[in-house]
Amino acid sequence: MKKILFVASECVPFIKTGGLADVVGSLPKIFNKKEYDVRVIIPNYECIKSEYKSKMKDLGNFYLDDIVYVGIKTLKLDGIQYYFIDNEYYFKGEVPYYDLFQDIERFAYFSKAALSILPVIDFRPEIIHCHDWQAGLVPVYLNSIFQGNEFYCGIRTIMTVHNLRFQGKWNVAHIQGVTRLPDECFAPGRLVSLNQDMGVLREHREANLLRGGLVYSDYITTVSNTYAGEIQTPYYGEGLDDLLRGRSDRLWGIVNGIDYKVYNPETDEDLYFNYSQKNFRTMKKKNKKKLQEELGLEVSDKMFTIAIISRLTDQKGLDIVDYVMDRICASGDIQFIVLGTGDGRYEDMFRYYQGKYPNNVSANICYSDALSHKIYGSVDAMLVPSQFEPCGLTQLMALRYGTVPIVRETGGLKDTVEAYNEFEQTGTGFSFANYNGDELFDQIEYAKSTFYEQKAKWNKIVDRGMKTDWSWDYSAGTYKALYDEILG
Ligand code: GLC
């Protein structure tokens, strides 16, 4: 039995702010339970729903370094054993994250506690699979202060980057204070390249938790092949491209999948009407009508409906959407539906356009899983014009629901959406190369004219998209190959 431990800050169905939670919630389930024992550790946030809290079992508690409380709770769901690090002081409140200054202390505690509970729960993983900066200190602790303890010797680590923009950086004094890591971890950083002077958290006057994970982990993965290449360049590298180039022999790009049981238009209970590849032509129209009614838009199957379902942040390409919104809405034959929350300026931007074009724009500035499913099942196209996109899951959900993605060719978007070629009649969506509003607008126009003037060809695009397989089956083999390579 191969023992693997996931350490992450979010995991569906317990707590979610983004795609990280979907991946941590679905990836452990793809492995054959006879061969792999995959378990997951996350914080026991106060804001985890009570339906799960009430099912958790108490496994005791102890004091880390004799002073900081660590409680251990557990629960088994869908065959996966989950552990929750309990500390009311660190994980109180209505949301999982606060300001970075506090979060660094909270997740430093979390990473150390996650390692510390292993002898108590009697689980010695062969590989610890760490996700994003919140778990970045796990490989660092493991290879420093935990090395004195035989239990931890030989445990290997993987650091998976879901989004390189977020790294957990603060000044050295603060991070040294809250982590209590030895001085050598903060040794002044000569430029880290080609294995020289690895082993530093430090970047000039700052320390960087993700950097620590990237330096100390045995392997690094990220969530698409294209992004794995992009982050080795200065434009996408967020200041770590040099380090990542230096470790490129240990860097794998493995594209995410989605849970095809949860995202299934034939059985999805949130849809107005279920449908399959055989009857999407009639059923999606019915769904569209219902959605238009629900959102108070003009009810007409003649409208070309485009949606954005996203965190509303600058990563997501909303500045170039802003640049073309008047042009999109001026034509009168497009309905634009937004669902998501995020930066105030983007929330206000979509509210503004809704006010300006009430017949064409529906701004739903909220988080709603049910509404998101309804939108996937009803609209014609899904817009994902991201500035950068490690993987992106919305385009995968769109393809599954017969909604045509319009994307920028970056990261996972490039790897999962094949551009429509009208001459060869291939492709599953529309795409543009440069981060440029005019290119975006051209593709929206191209999609719209295909939709209106060449309906049979449009439906073929939908057909091909629905036939692609972005379930975890596609990447399961690569993850297994990685685990096997690590375990020799
Ligand atoms: C982050 C990335 C997104 C990716 C997700 C899951 O949210 O921004 O591109 O799909 O993590 O890996």
Side-chain angles (χ1 to χ4, degrees):
M1 190 69 105
K2 294 165 186 158
K3 293 185 190 155
I4 318 282
L5 175 70
F6 277 46
V7 181
S9 57
E10 28 184 300
C11 175
V12 159
F14 309 110
I15 182 84
K16 169 171 169 173
T17 72
L20 166 66
D22 292 302
V23 174
V24 176
S26 53
L27 177 55
K29 296 182 190 161
I30 69 177
F31 300 99
N32 182 341
K33 300 212 167 46
K34 291 194 183 111
E35 248 185 285
Y36 296 87
D37 183 356
V38 185
R39 306 190 190 184
V40 181
I41 300 186
I42 65 169
N44 188 24
Y45 301 109
E46 186 185 344
C47 55
I48 291 177
K49 282 198 204 105
S50 58
E51 60 175 296
Y52 300 112
K53 291 232 171 202
S54 61
K55 292 192 191 118
M56 291 178 190
K57 267 199 242 141
D58 220 321
L59 293 183
N61 61 70
F62 60 91
Y63 284 82
L64 197 58
D65 302 328
D66 292 332
I67 40 174
V68 193
Y69 177 87
V70 180
I72 312 168
K73 309 244 180 204
T74 189
L75 104 82
K76 197 165 190 168
L77 199 68
D78 294 335
I80 303 289
Q81 195 75 47
Y82 296 93
Y83 299 93
F84 303 83
I85 303 285
D86 189 48
N87 181 306
E88 281 180 14
Y89 168 70
Y90 281 127
F91 302 128
K92 63 181 181 271
E94 285 160 20
V95 289
Y97 307 129
Y98 289 91
D99 60 83
L100 188 57
F101 179 79
Q102 294 178 50
D103 284 350
I104 283 176
E105 178 173 352
R106 298 163 70 228
F107 291 106
Y109 159 79
F110 170 65
S111 298
K112 199 170 184 181
L115 286 170
S116 303
I117 70 166
L118 299 179
V120 184
I121 62 173
D122 192 21
F123 184 68
R124 186 190 173 280
E126 288 153 281
I127 298 175
I128 305 183
H129 193 153
C130 312
H131 297 267
D132 274 355
W133 76 263
Q134 292 90 345
L137 286 180
V138 170
V140 183
Y141 280 124
L142 186 67
N143 287 288
S144 55
I145 55 181
F146 281 77
Q147 278 308 299
N149 184 333
E150 206 184 316
F151 178 91
Y152 297 93
C153 287
I155 296 180
R156 318 297 298 277
T157 52
I158 301 173
M159 185 75 235
T160 292
V161 178
H162 294 264
N163 192 332
L164 195 63
R165 177 146 299 174
F166 305 108
Q167 302 179 2
K169 287 199 247 188
W170 208 269
N171 66 49
V172 171
H174 175 56
I175 292 187
Q176 198 159 12
V178 298
T179 61
R180 297 160 157 241
L181 280 162
D183 287 348
E184 60 262 28
C185 292
F186 300 92
R190 271 179 281 143
L191 267 190
V192 173
S193 64
L194 299 174
N195 292 326
Q196 281 171 20
D197 199 21
M198 303 287 260
V200 286
L201 284 158
R202 191 184 185 115
E203 284 175 359
H204 310 292
R205 289 188 192 159
E206 290 187 309
N208 178 335
L209 269 53
L210 180 67
R211 180 190 190 93
L214 295 173
V215 167
Y216 278 103
S217 58
D218 294 291
Y219 279 78
I220 299 167
T221 74
T222 187
V223 289
S224 71
N225 214 11
T226 294
Y227 193 60
E230 286 172 342
I231 57 177
Q232 298 179 53
T233 66
Y235 182 81
Y236 291 98
E238 306 284 350
L240 292 172
D241 50 297
D242 186 29
L243 167 59
L244 290 163
R245 279 196 304 280
R247 297 217 61 196
S248 59
D249 59 329
R250 293 294 183 96
L251 169 60
W252 293 34
I254 310 177
V255 75
N256 287 331
I258 54 171
D259 188 333
Y260 264 35
K261 287 204 195 95
V262 176
Y263 293 95
N264 181 354
E266 293 185 47
T267 55
D268 189 333
E269 285 173 8
D270 289 322
L271 296 190
Y272 307 106
F273 301 102
N274 291 110
Y275 58 94
S276 69
Q277 219 175 320
K278 292 206 184 76
N279 64 0
F280 75 84
R281 288 173 180 75
T282 48
M283 299 314 281
K284 276 207 77 167
K285 270 190 204 155
K286 286 188 169 185
N287 279 334
K288 182 162 157 178
K289 192 168 162 230
K290 282 278 189 189
L291 183 72
Q292 288 168 327
E293 276 169 20
E294 183 170 334
L295 299 181
L297 290 165
E298 184 194 329
V299 177
S300 153
D301 71 11
K302 299 263 148 35
M303 285 286 181
F304 182 49
T305 47
I306 304 179
I308 286 186
I309 300 179
S310 178
R311 281 181 294 117
L312 304 178
T313 63
D314 58 358
Q315 170 190 344
K316 298 295 178 178
L318 304 171
D319 294 308
I320 58 175
V321 173
D322 187 19
Y323 178 74
V324 298
M325 262 321 253
D326 282 318
R327 272 190 273 168
I328 293 175
C329 295
S331 64
D333 50 8
I334 290 181
Q335 283 174 344
F336 200 95
I337 296 160
V338 178
L339 173 63
T341 59
D343 294 354
R345 62 184 161 135
Y346 297 121
E347 295 184 344
D348 288 343
M349 167 186 133
F350 286 118
R351 287 189 190 108
Y352 163 80
Y353 286 115
Q354 176 176 264
K356 191 168 177 187
Y357 304 102
N359 299 325
N360 299 88
V361 178
S362 167
N364 306 277
I365 307 303
C366 58
Y367 175 84
S368 165
D369 202 41
L371 181 57
S372 76
H373 285 238
K374 287 189 170 70
I375 295 174
Y376 286 118
S378 307
V379 299
D380 301 300
M382 183 66 57
L383 196 59
V384 198
S386 307
Q387 195 177 359
F388 69 95
E389 196 61 76
C391 177
L393 302 174
T394 39
Q395 81 279 12
L396 306 182
M397 294 162 188
L399 288 166
R400 175 79 164 148
Y401 282 73
T403 297
V404 176
I406 304 174
V407 305
R408 179 164 168 249
E409 291 155 17
T410 184
L413 298 170
K414 188 170 176 183
D415 295 350
T416 56
V417 177
E418 187 194 346
Y420 176 51
N421 179 326
E422 64 180 64
F423 305 105
E424 305 197 347
Q425 281 304 304
T426 55
T428 55
F430 293 81
S431 66
F432 59 100
N434 297 305
Y435 190 65
N436 173 309
D438 295 302
E439 284 189 29
L440 163 66
F441 186 69
D442 284 349
Q443 287 305 311
I444 293 176
E445 284 291 295
Y446 184 23
K448 188 175 90 177
S449 68
T450 311
F451 174 83
Y452 279 121
E453 292 153 29
Q454 310 203 301
K455 208 29 144 328
K457 290 182 177 162
W458 175 270
N459 283 331
K460 286 279 181 207
I461 301 174
V462 174
D463 237 346
R464 285 192 294 271
M466 289 182 87
K467 277 202 188 100
T468 55
D469 181 2
W470 297 108
S471 72
W472 277 107
D473 290 349
Y474 183 80
S475 289
T478 320
Y479 271 108
K480 282 182 206 149
L482 174 65
Y483 291 162
D484 290 348
E485 175 162 326
I486 294 175
L487 298 176

